[in-house]
Amino acid sequence: MLETRTHATGHVVQLTINRPQRRNAVDHTTLVAIGDALESAVASSARVVILTGAGGTFSAGADLTGIEGPEFSGALMKVLSLLSTAPVVTIAAVDGPALGAGTQLASFCDLRIATARSRFGIPAAKLGLAIDRETVQRVVELCGGATARALLLSADTIDASRAYALGFVQREGDLAAALDWATEIASLAPLTLRAHKLALVSLREGTPGPLSAQARQANHAAWASADIVEGRSAFMQKRKPNFQGR
């Protein structure tokens, strides 16, 4: 089951995995629901999407009763791609275990905030599974090569303090803190956030060099926007800007 709530005048969408009987392990149905909710958020006025889990568990991973077919893998890869490339800021608000697919979901979000009781790990080697190349690359980028090797080759876990020290987690806090952070981000210029995210995606997916055409277009749109006029006016008038995304 996936619960969807909207906060901050429609600019912040909260997606909550709520499968307490499975410790929020994700199955094909849940992944499809997350993907659909992400696409709906992008099509709406959302600027930030928070992904979290109910009941003190972010996600125990994949629901092992339904991962044999290609449908699960396809749905998971779609969600991971949406989290990392959709033109909204995605935040993983982690409380408790985020294991296996839970760590994957958190890793592909743009930002992560976690409580002190959170922990991360990829116990695929305990189950005879193998994760995809994109996840391996992501974990190496976010945690560093040495920690990634420990997570992948010895099925180690890291706690929240270690994850924060590594920079994998950017802030320490609960869901309320995540909502405050999301509201703060949602007040920033959305065209700027879109341009920056697409630039990050472009640089990550390609070799060093020019940005993608989409990223360049987003950059030009920010510079040509009414929001840049609003930002300058607010700065000169010493007031908070009211960005409209146009």
Side-chain angles (χ1 to χ4, degrees):
M1 178 179 176
L2 183 75
E3 298 175 354
T4 303
R5 294 183 61 190
T6 302
H7 306 267
T9 64
H11 294 323
V12 177
V13 174
Q14 175 189 329
L15 306 181
T16 305
I17 304 169
N18 189 2
R19 304 185 74 219
Q21 74 282 9
R22 305 297 296 172
R23 298 179 65 226
N24 294 337
V26 291
D27 58 2
H28 176 258
T29 300
T30 304
L31 290 171
V32 170
I34 295 173
D36 290 346
L38 285 168
E39 290 178 334
S40 295
V42 170
S44 71
S45 61
R47 300 178 183 180
V48 183
V49 174
I50 297 174
L51 180 63
T52 191
T57 299
F58 181 75
S59 174
D63 189 332
L64 298 181
T65 62
I67 64 170
E68 295 83 359
E71 294 83 4
F72 178 88
S73 177
L76 177 60
M77 295 309 298
K78 177 181 178 180
V79 168
L80 298 182
S81 177
L82 283 170
L83 288 170
S84 63
T85 65
V88 294
V89 177
T90 54
I91 300 175
V94 180
D95 180 32
L99 302 175
T103 287
Q104 289 181 277
L105 292 169
S107 297
F108 278 79
C109 288
D110 298 314
L111 302 167
R112 283 152 295 281
I113 182 171
T115 64
R117 57 187 300 276
S118 300
R119 60 189 177 93
F120 303 87
I122 302 177
K126 294 182 178 180
L127 301 168
L129 308 175
I131 62 171
D132 57 279
R133 179 185 183 278
E134 290 79 5
T135 296
V136 173
Q137 180 182 3
R138 196 84 172 188
V139 173
V140 169
E141 289 178 355
L142 295 173
C143 296
T147 299
R149 283 170 171 77
L151 291 171
L152 297 170
L153 301 181
S154 66
D156 278 1
T157 61
I158 56 174
D159 60 20
S161 61
R162 175 64 174 158
Y164 181 74
L166 289 167
F168 175 72
V169 167
Q170 287 82 30
R171 292 195 180 187
E172 298 173 305
D174 58 9
L175 179 58
L179 286 167
D180 287 342
W181 193 15
T183 302
E184 175 188 336
I185 293 170
S187 72
L188 302 175
L191 295 181
T192 300
L193 297 181
R194 176 185 172 87
H196 288 174
K197 180 161 181 176
L198 287 173
L200 289 166
V201 171
S202 178
L203 292 172
R204 182 178 183 274
E205 292 181 344
T207 56
L211 297 176
S212 68
Q214 187 180 25
R216 291 197 303 272
Q217 183 180 13
N219 184 281
H220 294 157
W223 278 99
S225 68
D227 276 352
I228 196 171
V229 177
E230 166 64 8
R232 290 170 177 168
S233 297
F235 178 80
M236 296 299 293
Q237 297 167 16
K238 295 181 171 40
R239 61 174 174 81
K240 185 176 181 179
N242 181 20
F243 294 118
Q244 300 298 312
R246 59 177 185 267

